[in-house]
Amino acid sequence: MKSHYRAVVIGGGVVGASVLYHLAKFGWKDVCLIERNILTAGSSWHAAGGIHALNADPNIASLQAYTIDLLSEIQEESGQDIGLHMTGGLTMAGTPDRWEWLQSAYRTFQSIGIEDVRLVSPKEAQDLCPIMSTDGLLGGMSADREGYVDTTGTVHAYATAAKKRGAEVIEHNRVLELHQVEGGWQVVTEKGTIHTEHVVNAAGLWAKQVGRMAGIELPVSPLNHHYLISDTIPALEQLDFEVPMTVDLEGFTYMRQDQKGVLLGIYELDHQHWNMDGAPWEYGFELQQEDPDRIEKELILGFERYPDLQNVGVKTWVNGAFTFSPDGNPLVGPVRGKPGYWCACAVMAGFLQGGGVGKSLAEWMIHGEPEADVYGMDVARYGTFAENKQYIKETTGQFYSRRFVMTYPNEQLPAGRPLKMAPAYSEMNEAGAVWGQSWDMEVPLYFAPKEFEETPTLKRSNAFDFVAAECKAVRENVGLLDISAFSRFEVTGPNAEAWLDNVMACALPKPGRAKLAPMLAEDGRLKGDLTVFNWGDGSWWIMGSYYLREWHMRWFDDHMMDGVSVRDLGEDTCGFSLSGPNSRKVIEKLTDGPIGDLKFLGCGHFDIGLIRAKVARMSVAGERGYEINCRYGDHIKLRRMLLEAGEEFGIREFGFNAMLSLRLEKSFGIWSAEFTQGYTAAQTGMDRWIAWDKGDFIGKDAAMAERDGNGPAQLEVTLEIDAVDADASGYEPVWQDGKKVGFVTSGGYGHTVGKSLAIAMVNREVAAEGTDLQVHIVGAERAAKVIAPSPYDPSGKAMRG
């Protein structure tokens, strides 16, 4: 062990070994891995080792596919047998809703490039897996690229390949302390102190403690997970092939062959947390006592699905802990305020995702950005609210118990809620608000009678008529929307303007004006679809998506300059939006200021009744509108005043479901759908806001290279879909005469225009207005047509007039 390394990886499981391998592969040789015991002494040794390419997030699916391709490479490079068995896989459905969901998922996987999947009948599934009973099953999905590996062999293959590339592996050496020092970190271990530029927390079951060493409270918790390995099954001895990995969604089980028996794993509803503050340091190759009584219901279902299990014994029980995040996805990337500290934690499916995590993190550390859009596993998708132990317990438990439970697009899950509520929450709740969640905050989805209950569905909801009425009120009269769940950042200081000019690609607004502002990474891909406000008093605001607060603050901090202060106003400022043709009449009743003179995208300070507010004339709904920002303490009063002033004009509160319909009718994109860090400004149409003639800004060279080259191969377009009782929601494939030409980024019903609409990313050659296409909606093919942007009020007269 040396006293200095460029990077130190803490943790000798599959994720840590993969990170080490990729750092060495991409050129950093002066790196080491430190393991408190020996390699695999945590969750890795007892993991089931299953691998598959299927994931609803296309970016994570591509990283899983990368992992599968990598496995044979590291086996060859290391000379270590990893025991790779590519058996194929089955996912089975036993209810009409679940079978419909699988048919929809099949099309989604096609859309994101997973082509080796097909739908199968119960008879076809049984031919593939003869030991499975098909009683009660309606159908399934078969995938070729599924199987399993020898877990211990795989970890050693990564480590050996890394060592061949110059990396070092140090076992039997626990990390005791971490200290942030100038230029990096001091890593205090049992065998001495190391100085390094970078520390990677890949500590698995001990990630919580290694986070706390750096003053970080990671939202992770171990939960116990059962599986059993059966004795030899005679029916398997008769086969000349291995049965596929099989998931029984109704039985909460997964199964794979293990020699001539099977491994049966269970995600039980009655979950059990284990050592939420982290595993004991001496723990490693131990297991918890099996608890068949707790998993009895799921065991019975598993033994009914695979009847041969009723006639053989159980050779081995495994009840071991794995670490989970609140949504089950990994926690990867840099931690704000801790330069050089990186996370590679909560990788619950380590042998499936470990290769992709290692690749992305190594790219991030070496090049500044990963190649793939990895927001779905970025540690910055959580804020300090997720440090709360009860929140972690509720959300990780909910994910575990719902691992094989179907979640509908319109279903709201209860764990960790309600947490943060706008001041007027209780009054909006009394008025019939139905709530969703954005990050830590409750947001109104729509308003309905108290006795109403929304039915979870893949198709149009029974709340459809309520949303339609809210859209009508906004288009014809005036609507009131709680916009507390918008992010707001205040930028001040002598260099505020210079800093904004560098991080934003647009020309900055003049005093008293606002402007839409694309923010780019160095490679020209998007980092934000934001709005910049120049309040005219030396202060500026940036507004964006509320759930990106931590993510954007990290970006701002990483690109900060002297003489600038950026403050997150998310705990101080909230507000309401007025939208509709009567919005001016309402707001004019509450102020004697010249608010009627405020032009589109104008902004200023106004007295709204008793409240001193920051007001901007804009609306995502595509109507005349005003966004009124106030202190948290003013929120209740502001709502009451606006409702009273708007009563004579038929004012109606509305929620974000209506807003999504209204914005689709204007072809307005949103982040995580039309805009992501995987797309460029030119792909999404955001390049129309780029100020090409201004000085240098982040991403300018890459954006200009795209502009001056051949342009993007795909563009976003608006589609009108011949839908009946269901609308597109995202990632549905778009076809032209049987050839896949794109995918839906988001969709829904346009209540004003009376059409099912979607925005889609399609190949340039099919992007022309009038092109006939096809889209699968909940698994069924429907006709679609490219239409002109903004099917409602294409001239923008309602918004600007």
Side-chain angles (χ1 to χ4, degrees):
M1 185 177 82
K2 301 185 300 184
S3 61
H4 290 77
Y5 292 92
R6 189 167 195 177
V8 172
V9 180
I10 302 173
V14 64
V15 176
S18 173
V19 172
L20 185 75
Y21 167 75
H22 284 92
L23 286 172
K25 181 178 182 179
F26 296 161
W28 281 13
K29 308 300 183 184
D30 188 21
V31 295
C32 76
L33 180 152
I34 299 178
E35 163 57 42
R36 40 168 279 288
N37 193 331
I38 63 173
L39 295 177
T40 77
S43 296
S44 289
W45 75 271
H46 64 74
I51 55 172
H52 59 85
L54 304 181
N55 192 293
D57 184 325
N59 302 297
I60 293 178
S62 68
L63 292 176
Q64 291 178 179
Y66 167 82
T67 301
I68 294 171
D69 292 337
L70 178 66
L71 288 170
S72 57
E73 293 180 24
I74 62 162
Q75 176 172 271
E76 182 177 351
E77 186 175 340
S78 66
Q80 167 73 50
D81 182 17
I82 66 169
L84 178 62
H85 295 250
M86 292 300 285
T87 62
L90 285 170
T91 303
M92 304 304 300
T95 65
D97 273 3
R98 179 74 80 171
W99 176 225
E100 192 173 59
W101 176 81
L102 266 188
Q103 294 173 74
S104 180
Y106 162 63
R107 295 301 180 181
T108 298
F109 292 136
Q110 285 187 318
S111 181
I112 63 181
I114 299 175
E115 303 290 351
D116 56 344
V117 292
R118 63 190 178 96
L119 296 174
V120 294
S121 68
K123 175 62 170 62
E124 291 172 310
Q126 191 167 47
D127 290 343
L128 293 169
C129 186
I131 65 168
M132 177 178 64
S133 166
T134 58
D135 287 351
L137 295 179
L138 300 178
M141 184 164 59
S142 173
D144 295 340
R145 282 166 61 84
E146 295 202 14
Y148 63 95
V149 295
D150 169 53
T151 58
T152 298
T154 301
V155 174
H156 282 277
Y158 276 119
T160 301
K163 288 189 286 187
K164 285 186 174 183
R165 291 179 177 271
E168 188 175 349
V169 174
I170 304 163
E171 296 178 298
H172 301 292
N173 187 28
R174 180 160 73 89
V175 173
L176 304 174
E177 300 173 14
L178 293 174
H179 301 287
Q180 193 169 3
V181 297
E182 186 176 353
W185 291 83
Q186 188 182 71
V187 184
V188 181
T189 78
E190 292 174 327
K191 295 182 178 180
T193 298
I194 297 170
H195 295 269
T196 182
E197 296 176 42
H198 302 275
V199 169
V200 178
N201 181 351
L205 294 173
W206 297 268
K208 179 73 81 172
Q209 295 100 307
V210 175
R212 286 173 175 167
M213 289 179 186
I216 300 164
E217 195 69 29
L218 291 169
V220 296
S221 176
L223 283 93
N224 282 329
H225 178 63
H226 278 89
Y227 66 78
L228 63 85
I229 298 175
S230 76
D231 287 330
T232 295
I233 295 175
L236 288 178
E237 290 186 298
Q238 307 303 313
L239 299 179
D240 59 358
F241 62 91
E242 279 193 279
V243 296
M245 289 187 61
T246 304
V247 173
D248 178 15
L249 296 170
E250 266 62 60
F252 312 101
T253 63
Y254 62 91
M255 182 278 297
R256 70 163 174 83
Q257 190 162 333
D258 187 276
Q259 298 181 38
K260 292 302 179 180
V262 299
L263 181 155
L264 183 73
I266 294 168
Y267 279 97
E268 65 276 12
L269 296 178
D270 182 17
H271 59 262
Q272 184 179 70
H273 286 83
W274 179 80
N275 283 301
M276 287 190 66
D277 290 316
W281 289 114
E282 65 275 9
Y283 181 83
F285 289 101
E286 299 83 8
L287 293 170
Q288 282 68 262
Q289 181 67 39
E290 65 268 20
D291 189 4
D293 290 342
R294 184 167 59 82
I295 60 174
E296 180 181 10
K297 293 179 182 178
E298 293 85 1
L299 274 178
I300 291 172
L301 292 172
F303 276 57
E304 290 174 347
R305 184 61 64 206
Y306 308 102
D308 288 292
L309 286 173
Q310 300 172 29
N311 303 315
V312 299
V314 174
K315 181 167 60 178
T316 305
W317 280 100
V318 173
N319 183 18
F322 294 88
T323 303
F324 293 78
S325 73
D327 63 5
N329 283 336
L331 299 174
V332 179
V335 176
R336 183 165 72 93
K338 304 289 181 181
Y341 188 100
W342 303 81
C343 286
C345 312
V347 189
M348 175 265 299
F351 291 89
L352 169 61
Q353 298 176 343
V357 168
K359 172 182 182 290
S360 295
L361 189 63
E363 291 169 341
W364 214 334
M365 295 171 69
I366 295 171
H367 304 300
E369 286 287 323
E371 179 184 25
D373 174 6
V374 296
Y375 180 79
M377 59 184 186
D378 193 326
V379 66
R381 71 185 186 276
Y382 292 105
T384 55
F385 67 90
E387 298 175 0
N388 177 273
K389 192 170 184 177
Q390 183 64 26
Y391 176 89
I392 295 169
K393 185 175 184 179
E394 290 184 21
T395 53
T396 55
Q398 176 178 266
F399 171 81
Y400 183 96
S401 293
R402 296 185 65 88
R403 183 82 168 91
F404 291 154
V405 174
M406 180 175 172
T407 299
Y408 295 87
N410 68 325
E411 189 173 8
Q412 297 297 317
L413 301 181
R417 299 180 57 197
L419 183 53
K420 185 180 179 183
M421 294 166 278
Y425 171 90
S426 295
E427 293 192 1
M428 288 187 283
N429 196 58
E430 189 61 29
V434 176
W435 300 95
Q437 185 184 41
S438 176
W439 219 40
D440 62 342
M441 173 163 269
E442 296 296 307
V443 295
L445 300 178
Y446 57 89
F447 289 76
K450 281 292 185 181
E451 65 277 8
F452 175 75
E453 290 188 12
E454 186 172 8
T455 304
T457 181
L458 293 171
K459 298 182 178 180
R460 289 179 187 158
S461 162
N462 58 329
F464 187 85
D465 291 342
F466 300 126
V467 176
E470 291 176 7
C471 291
K472 180 179 174 67
V474 173
R475 290 285 187 237
E476 297 181 1
N477 294 309
V478 59
L480 183 67
L481 175 71
D482 174 27
I483 57 170
S484 299
F486 285 5
S487 70
R488 299 165 176 87
F489 304 95
E490 181 186 58
V491 185
T492 56
N495 290 327
E497 185 171 354
W499 179 78
L500 283 165
D501 210 30
N502 182 55
V503 297
M504 301 298 172
C506 64
L508 296 184
K510 302 297 183 184
R513 300 289 295 166
K515 183 163 287 190
L516 298 182
M519 187 166 66
L520 309 180
E522 284 83 352
D523 62 6
R525 294 186 294 176
L526 291 171
K527 276 292 180 181
D529 66 317
L530 303 163
T531 306
V532 174
F533 298 77
N534 183 344
W535 294 108
D537 58 1
S539 70
W540 305 72
W541 271 19
I542 302 169
M543 287 185 70
S545 299
Y546 184 84
Y547 62 93
L548 298 177
R549 283 171 56 189
E550 181 70 15
W551 191 71
H552 274 144
M553 276 300 296
R554 187 180 65 191
W555 181 259
F556 299 153
D557 286 352
D558 288 347
H559 297 82
M560 191 49 61
M561 65 171 61
D562 291 338
V564 180
S565 174
V566 178
R567 185 166 69 97
D568 184 346
L569 301 176
E571 307 307 316
D572 305 314
T573 306
C574 55
F576 284 96
S577 172
L578 282 173
S579 296
N582 288 326
S583 59
R584 175 177 171 176
K585 295 176 182 176
V586 174
I587 201 167
E588 282 187 325
K589 290 179 66 175
L590 296 171
T591 183
D592 62 359
I595 205 157
D597 298 334
L598 202 61
K599 295 181 179 179
F600 179 62
L601 292 179
C603 63
H605 300 82
F606 292 87
D607 290 335
I608 306 297
L610 293 172
I611 297 168
R612 187 66 174 162
K614 281 184 163 69
V615 181
R617 191 182 150 194
M618 58 179 58
S619 169
V620 182
E623 297 291 336
R624 174 187 281 272
Y626 300 87
E627 292 184 356
I628 309 164
N629 302 280
C630 66
R631 301 177 304 172
Y632 257 68
D634 296 331
H635 192 246
I636 295 172
K637 179 65 173 178
L638 178 60
R639 175 181 176 273
R640 291 175 180 175
M641 289 192 305
L642 291 169
L643 287 176
E644 183 179 350
E647 186 175 3
E648 66 174 292
F649 305 109
I651 193 169
R652 179 168 183 157
E653 290 189 271
F654 69 105
F656 280 89
N657 285 6
M659 176 59 76
L660 290 174
S661 171
L662 297 166
R663 67 94 185 170
L664 273 174
E665 294 181 326
K666 293 295 296 175
S667 301
F668 290 163
I670 56 173
W671 194 265
S672 292
E674 285 67 52
F675 310 132
T676 78
Q677 60 180 337
Y679 304 151
T680 66
Q683 280 181 280
T684 60
M686 287 290 285
D687 56 337
R688 66 184 179 274
W689 303 106
I690 292 179
W692 301 105
D693 57 349
K694 77 170 186 174
D696 194 25
F697 57 86
I698 297 171
K700 182 176 183 178
D701 290 345
M704 290 188 72
E706 182 177 46
R707 182 197 68 176
D708 298 338
N710 296 324
Q714 290 190 309
L715 299 170
E716 284 181 348
V717 298
T718 302
L719 299 179
E720 179 183 330
I721 301 174
D722 181 22
V724 179
D725 60 352
D727 303 296
S729 59
Y731 294 125
E732 293 89 350
V734 177
W735 309 88
Q736 186 181 57
D737 302 325
K739 177 186 176 183
K740 190 179 70 176
V741 294
F743 62 93
V744 170
T745 54
S746 68
Y749 191 78
H751 289 277
T752 311
V753 298
K755 296 176 180 179
S756 184
L757 302 171
I759 302 176
M761 183 73 75
V762 301
N763 297 343
R764 177 185 287 273
E765 58 268 23
V766 301
E769 185 180 338
T771 304
D772 289 320
L773 300 169
Q774 300 82 42
V775 178
H776 277 92
I777 308 295
V778 193
E781 185 176 298
R782 309 299 304 177
K785 185 185 291 289
V786 179
I787 62 174
S790 191
Y792 170 77
D793 187 30
S795 68
K797 181 180 179 181
M799 186 167 56
R800 293 178 172 84

